[in-house]
Amino acid sequence: EAQQAAAEFARRFAVAGERDHPFAPGIAQAAFLPPARFDLAAQDGVQGVAVPYEYESRRFEDDFEMPEAFVRQEWRRYQGEIAFVDEQVGRLLDALADAGAAEETIVIVVGDHGESFEHDFYFAHEFRLYDALVHVPLLVRWPGRIAPSRVATQVTLADIAPTILDLASVPPSAEAQDAPAPDGVVLTALLRSG
């Protein structure tokens, strides 16, 4: 449903003149149940491995190790999720292009946390600051304005809002001018320099 809603918005955005309205689809799922072609764990025959019963009570112990079959299952599920999301982002970009709105639309895709498949498979997102947990994807696409590139500079999620405002040439409101400085920095120069 979310895929169809995003594609429908892209169509309306271009056809119905709704281009002055921002669009920020936040899609969250409690459990990822991919279409069969993205269910890599099932394709590998490593599905149905349950979380070990002692996980909740021992997960913060340094000597606790997840069973290899469970780690493999979760790694393959994660790879399937990435492939599925990649396809859906592609569908959205195609819909924008088909609607003639790609060059007028800043598309930003960001993750809220990483996944740790190292460090003895730390299967949670809290209480630890491993690079794998805080290193998240941030993709910014604006054809004709930002050239495709990979930037190695570390940035934060707090940088997104000021960057969007700068890219869209939106001046700070009167209220914002009197407010404390935001935590984020503008990444426009970094994005344009590649």
Side-chain angles (χ1 to χ4, degrees), residues 1-173:
E1 292 176 17
Q3 306 156 19
Q4 292 168 336
E8 174 60 19
F9 176 83
R11 186 194 63 74
R12 285 192 346 232
F13 178 79
V15 176
E18 296 183 21
R19 296 180 184 199
D20 293 333
H21 303 285
F23 175 57
I27 302 167
Q29 293 177 270
F32 179 72
L33 301 172
R37 66 191 174 97
F38 293 103
D39 192 347
L40 303 182
Q43 291 173 22
D44 287 357
V46 291
Q47 64 182 5
V49 182
V51 175
Y53 71 92
E54 72 271 25
Y55 172 71
E56 283 302 321
S57 63
R58 296 196 54 215
R59 68 182 180 162
F60 300 114
E61 296 176 15
D62 290 334
D63 64 341
F64 178 71
E65 293 186 27
M66 297 295 277
E68 181 61 36
F70 183 77
V71 173
R72 174 78 176 153
Q73 169 186 277
E74 296 307 300
W75 172 241
R76 294 300 282 159
R77 282 183 175 166
Y78 182 66
Q79 290 176 316
E81 289 178 33
I82 291 170
F84 179 75
V85 169
D86 183 64
E87 180 180 272
Q88 301 318 304
V89 169
R91 288 180 64 198
L92 177 62
L93 297 177
D94 289 346
L96 287 169
D98 292 348
E103 292 186 9
E104 300 174 28
T105 306
I106 303 168
V107 175
I108 298 175
V109 178
V110 63
D112 63 338
H113 60 75
E115 297 289 344
S116 182
F117 291 98
E118 48 195 60
H119 304 105
D120 295 322
F121 191 70
Y122 179 69
F123 189 66
H125 305 114
E126 68 275 1
F127 307 119
R128 308 264 172 122
L129 291 175
Y130 291 132
D131 286 343
L133 296 176
V134 297
H135 186 178
V136 299
L138 171 60
L139 304 140
V140 181
R141 184 175 188 268
W142 197 8
R145 312 268 179 102
I146 297 174
S149 65
R150 183 177 185 136
V151 177
T153 304
Q154 184 176 10
V155 300
T156 72
L157 299 182
D159 300 334
I160 295 172
T163 301
I164 292 171
L165 294 174
D166 188 65
L167 287 170
S169 300
V170 175
S173 66

